[in-house]
């Protein structure tokens, strides 16, 4: 009788992303049951996410919002710190004060960039003509201000200074409003405050190319339902106006051609900070159904379908859902939400449109390490508020976000650390884990005898990947455990190329991947793998360690826990099918 040859099936694709809908048994092989702090790669494989690092050593009192201003000689990061306005010309390392000691602002400041640029330059100095300025609305609680990179000017309330002569601009005026947006040569404002009255559904716009002049008649009330406007953004050739339960679109290019139409009465946005544009789409977060995308042709697509259960089951805190923020950074959509009982944002979901067929999701939590469960938040977890892809003059892109605690600005996607740097002398480890779908390799109800699988791991740094193997569609009955280790040496020595004692012996360090064999998995109908990075102790600086230094040569170091970068590129399952009877 001929000996049966084992079969091999390889898994390299996890581009289906997270899918919390339905039973884990129904997931496609390229979807994942759960993952945290790993980045799924469009060409296959996954890696531990990069780290986050605070930018400003001197903390803010209460950072609420952040945006970029490129009209100055040096691009600037602008931060609302309570009722004050601060600016940075060095990518958030140090901040100066643009506005301090003014009116008390209880809500959000929001900004738009615009230039006074009428055709003949009437009423505009040669210095100001065409120069982009940052206009900041102070939540309708105080008059708007203008910032030019050096000087801040408080503008007058346009309600007291309407100008119906489009040929003779006065300048220096702007309506009081919650929202502001530049679109098609006009500056639009929404949720206006006029003569002490809040017009929650109103939009008002400026003279053409004149952000500081307004005609009394240039306004519309959006919809007849009285529901307040929650945000406004320019995308493609249209202006989109959001409420919590509807989306409206303003088309046209001047007063004679403007038209307002309802795009949807089934979805809306929780806030201005939950709306973001990209070159490919406009994204917004609905309080009931999560993330939607609007394509350039105006079509609406639901992106949150695989994660929709989280709002209903309480994983996303519905009571605090208005705090949700969206950002477009590194060609991906970032959605930061309040998690479970947290009243601030502590979980970030990332949508990569290049994953799978139409995009996929994975999730991050910052500083979340806990020994109990790699998918849970620790008590010290922090999160992201307002986000921005900042492009300083040196050309290097910085992915910035306001920390959920309001004390620091963070740069995410840093790749030189083992832990998140929350503040000076405050380094926090984070878990990183992924559980695959159930791999049936054949009939779901037929047993196989699994031999020792092979794993292709990243070999860029020394790391240990703890691996738990679940069998037979159960995660609680007799799982098997193994440790997959990758050992590299930054100062390794190869025979014949170094002196004895100068470093540790190591193999060829030019490898990008290494193949590691696991233990035999035994008989099972199907298997699912849970991979998690192992925490290691990292010693800070050049301080002394006991037994490795001479007394007095250096200061004693403090230690921090961190998880080295790790990644998985492939799983090779080797098995023998058992006869079906």
């Amino acid at each position: 009788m001929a000996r049966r040859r084992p079969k091999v099936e390889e898994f390299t694709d996890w581009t289906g992303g997270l899918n919390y809908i339905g039973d884990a048994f129904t997931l496609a092989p390229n979807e994942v049951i759960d993952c945290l702090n790993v980045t799924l790669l469009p060409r296959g494989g996954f890696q531990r996410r990069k780290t986050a690092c605070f930018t400003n050593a001197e903390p803010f009192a209460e950072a609420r919002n952040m945006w970029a201003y490129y009209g100055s000689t040096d691009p600037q990061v602008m931060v609302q710190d309570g009722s004050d306005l601060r600016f940075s010309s060095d990518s958030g390392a140090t901040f100066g004060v643009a506005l301090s000691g003014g009116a008390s602002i209880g809500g959000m400041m929001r900004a738009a960039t615009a230039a006074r640029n009428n055709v003949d330059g009437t009423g505009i100095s040669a210095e100001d003509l065409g120069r982009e300025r940052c206009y900041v609305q102070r939540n309708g609680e105080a008059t708007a201000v203008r910032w030019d990179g050096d000087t801040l000017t408080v503008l007058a309330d346009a309600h007291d200074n309407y100008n119906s002569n489009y040929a003779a601009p006065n300048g220096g005026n702007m309506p009081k409003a919650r929202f502001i947006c530049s679109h098609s040569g006009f500056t639009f404002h929404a949720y206006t405050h006029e003569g002490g009255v809040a017009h929650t559904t109103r939009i008002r716009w400026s003279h053409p190319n004149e952000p500081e002049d307004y005609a009394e008649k240039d306004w519309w009330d959006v919809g007849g339902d009285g529901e307040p406007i929650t945000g406004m953004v320019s995308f493609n050739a249209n202006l989109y106006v959001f409420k919590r339960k509807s989306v409206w679109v303003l088309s046209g290019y001047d007063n004679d051609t403007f038209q307002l139409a309802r795009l949807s009465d089934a979805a809306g946005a929780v806030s201005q900070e939950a709306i973001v544009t990209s070159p490919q789409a406009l994204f917004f977060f609905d309080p009931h159904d999560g993330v939607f995308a609007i394509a350039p042709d105006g079509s609406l697509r639901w992106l949150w379908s695989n994660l929709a259960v989280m709002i209903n089951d309480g994983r996303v805190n519905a009571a605090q859902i208005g705090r949700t923020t969206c950002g477009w950074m590194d060609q991906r959509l970032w959605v930061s939400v309040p998690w479970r009982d947290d009243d601030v944002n502590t979980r970030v979901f990332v949508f990569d449109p290049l994953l799978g067929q139409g995009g996929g999701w994975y999730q991050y939590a910052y500083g979340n390490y806990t020994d109990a469960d790699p998918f849970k938040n620790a008590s010290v977890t922090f999160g992201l508020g307002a986000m921005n892809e900042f492009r300083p003059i040196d050309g290097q892109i910085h992915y910035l976000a306001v920390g959920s605690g309001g004390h620091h600005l963070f740069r995410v996607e840093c790749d030189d650390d083992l832990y998140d740097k929350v503040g000076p002398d405050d380094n926090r480890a984070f878990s990183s884990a992924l559980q695959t779908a159930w791999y049936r390799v054949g009939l779901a109800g037929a047993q196989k005898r699994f031999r020792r699988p092979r794993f292709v791991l990243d070999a860029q740094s020394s790391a240990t990947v703890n691996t738990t193997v679940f069998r037979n569609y159960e995660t609680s009955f007799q799982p098997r455990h193994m440790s997959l280790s990758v050992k590299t040496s930054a100062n390794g020595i190869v025979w014949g190329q170094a002196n004895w004692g100068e470093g540790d012996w190591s193999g060829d360090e030019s490898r990008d991947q290494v193949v590691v064999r696991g233990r035999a998995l035994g008989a099972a109908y199907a298997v699912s793998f849970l991979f998690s990075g192992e925490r290691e102790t990292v010693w800070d600086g050049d301080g002394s360690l006991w037994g490795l230094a001479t007394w007095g040569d250096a200061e004693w170091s403090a230690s921090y826990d961190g998880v080295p970068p790790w990644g998985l590129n492939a799983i090779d399952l080797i098995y023998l099918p058992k006869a079906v009877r």
Side-chain angles (χ1 to χ4, degrees), residues 79-139:
V79 171
Q80 177 194 359
D81 185 11
S83 300
D84 299 339
L85 184 62
R86 302 187 182 277
F87 70 97
S88 171
S89 300
D90 53 10
S91 301
T94 58
F95 281 84
V97 177
L99 172 67
S100 180
S104 177
I105 308 299
M108 288 281 198
M109 296 183 189
R110 299 172 176 102
T113 300
R116 300 188 66 194
N117 198 27
N118 61 52
V119 176
D120 59 5
T122 302
I124 307 175
S125 67
E127 178 185 3
D128 287 344
L129 184 63
R131 183 179 177 185
E132 289 192 334
R133 307 295 179 91
C134 179
Y135 291 93
V136 182
Q137 283 287 5
R138 295 189 281 175
N139 200 48

Side-chain angles (χ1 to χ4, degrees), residues 14 53 109 114 186 218 243 247 365 431 456 509 580:
W14 293 276
C53 180
M109 296 183 189
F186 294 83
D218 291 342
K243 299 184 176 186
V247 182
S431 307
V456 182
E509 295 183 35
V580 179

Side-chain angles (χ1 to χ4, degrees), residues 471-489:
R471 299 180 297 166
N472 299 329
Y473 313 112
E474 297 184 25
T475 58
S476 58
F477 181 70
Q478 295 182 346
R480 298 199 174 187
H481 304 278
M482 63 185 83
S483 292
L484 310 178
S485 296
V486 177
K487 298 297 181 183
T488 64
S489 176

